[in-house]
Amino acid sequence: MISEKFEDFKIFTGNSNIFLAKSIVGYLGMNLGEILSTRFPDGEIYVRCLESVRGKEVFVIQSTYSPSDNLMELLIMIDALKRASARSICAVIPFFGYARQDRKTKSREPISAKLVANLITVAGATRVISVDLHAGQIQGFFDIPLDNLTAVLLLRSYFKDKELKNPVIVAPDVGAVPRTTEFSKGIRNSTQAIFVKKRLGPDEVETSRLIGEVKDKTVILVDDAIHTGGTMINAAEEVLKRGAIEVYVGATHGVFALDSLEKLEKSAIKEIVVTDTMPVSQRTNLPSKVKVLSVASLIGEAIKRIVFHESVSELFEKSS
Ligand code: R5P
């Protein structure tokens, strides 16, 4: 039983997503470890672990979305746990920020995803768990084990139960195709379509060329993340212009930057389904069309399997 292992492993959380962390330990039937994370008067982060972790297997839950303090808090927590002689430290990063900068597309750009991977490893993490990394190749930026879980099956199961009429699963850009392909496998009689997206700037996209048919179909747009909402709103307008009946959206990470929630509320999208890798439910202005599914059991199960030295791959291996 998991309770027999309580003495061997501990779970801590930073401040980025405390509700998710509580749900994860709730799934496992345990409590969060005690850790103090506060500020010096000048704003610097101060962390102190309030219980012994000597020789323990330790997990730290923290999404690294903006502001960068979330990342900094994670690094400082890992450092504190390392110096307190934890046997191993797994960084559980439900939403891995800075992931979009995973290669140089123009000269003199950074590869921020690699930099963040280096920082996490140098701080002392011995393993990473994440959910739907922006690009699978980010796993290769780490020289420690990384389990890239997926919420696609969770999102798919939600839409499967809706039994939507004549569904077409639409990738808002070419990068989303592996996700939409996996998604469509579980939706009966579904077809697929792909947009060719051109990013004009950090908050401006052009989504006008579509490969595939959407006329008289119910569109489900599937992506890893919604940041400004521009990609999804543009794609929704385009499919409606082409005769789609209605538009649903499924994405793992609801980042919802700037005034995206207001824009999405006003948009023609009928429902937007995201997960709690970001603290979406705690947003004050959350439109009723946004539905949040929880990845707590997915992450909790992965932690349990790691502790018990069982296979984690079943949780993220795609169906054939
Ligand atoms: C980028 O390639 C991602 O997969 C998403 O399409 C992107 O993050 C969405 O950003 P936004 O909501 O700002 O259009």
Side-chain angles (χ1 to χ4, degrees), residues 12-19 35 37-39 43-47 60-79 91-98 116 119-120 123 254-255 277-280 283:
F12 297 90
T13 186
N15 284 297
S16 72
N17 204 336
I18 293 173
F19 286 87
I35 196 160
S37 177
T38 182
R39 302 272 171 168
E44 280 186 10
I45 297 166
Y46 170 78
V47 165
V60 195
I61 301 166
Q62 179 85 325
S63 282
T64 54
Y65 58 87
S66 178
S68 310
D69 278 9
N70 287 323
L71 172 62
M72 202 61 204
E73 187 184 42
L74 173 66
L75 298 173
I76 293 171
M77 282 188 166
I78 293 172
D79 188 72
V92 181
I93 309 174
F95 172 70
F96 185 94
Y98 286 99
V116 170
L119 290 170
I120 290 167
V255 182
T277 59
M278 295 283 300
V280 178
R283 299 283 291 254

Side-chain angles (χ1 to χ4, degrees), residues 100 134 173 197 199 223-231:
R100 285 182 297 178
H134 173 61
D173 59 29
K197 177 171 96 177
R199 188 162 278 287
D223 209 349
D224 61 325
I226 302 173
H227 284 86
T228 64
T231 301

Side-chain angles (χ1 to χ4, degrees), residues 50 90 97 161 307-308:
L50 300 177
C90 177
D161 291 347
V307 169
F308 282 88

Side-chain angles (χ1 to χ4, degrees), residues 179-195:
R179 276 179 243 281
T180 51
T181 302
E182 185 55 32
F183 192 99
S184 71
K185 279 183 200 162
I187 309 283
R188 210 149 51 92
N189 300 326
S190 63
T191 53
Q192 284 191 76
I194 305 166
F195 271 107

Side-chain angles (χ1 to χ4, degrees), residues 101-115:
Q101 297 168 65
D102 60 357
R103 65 198 182 287
K104 287 177 72 165
T105 54
K106 300 187 191 83
S107 52
R108 300 180 295 283
E109 281 185 336
I111 305 180
S112 307
K114 172 62 180 158
L115 171 65

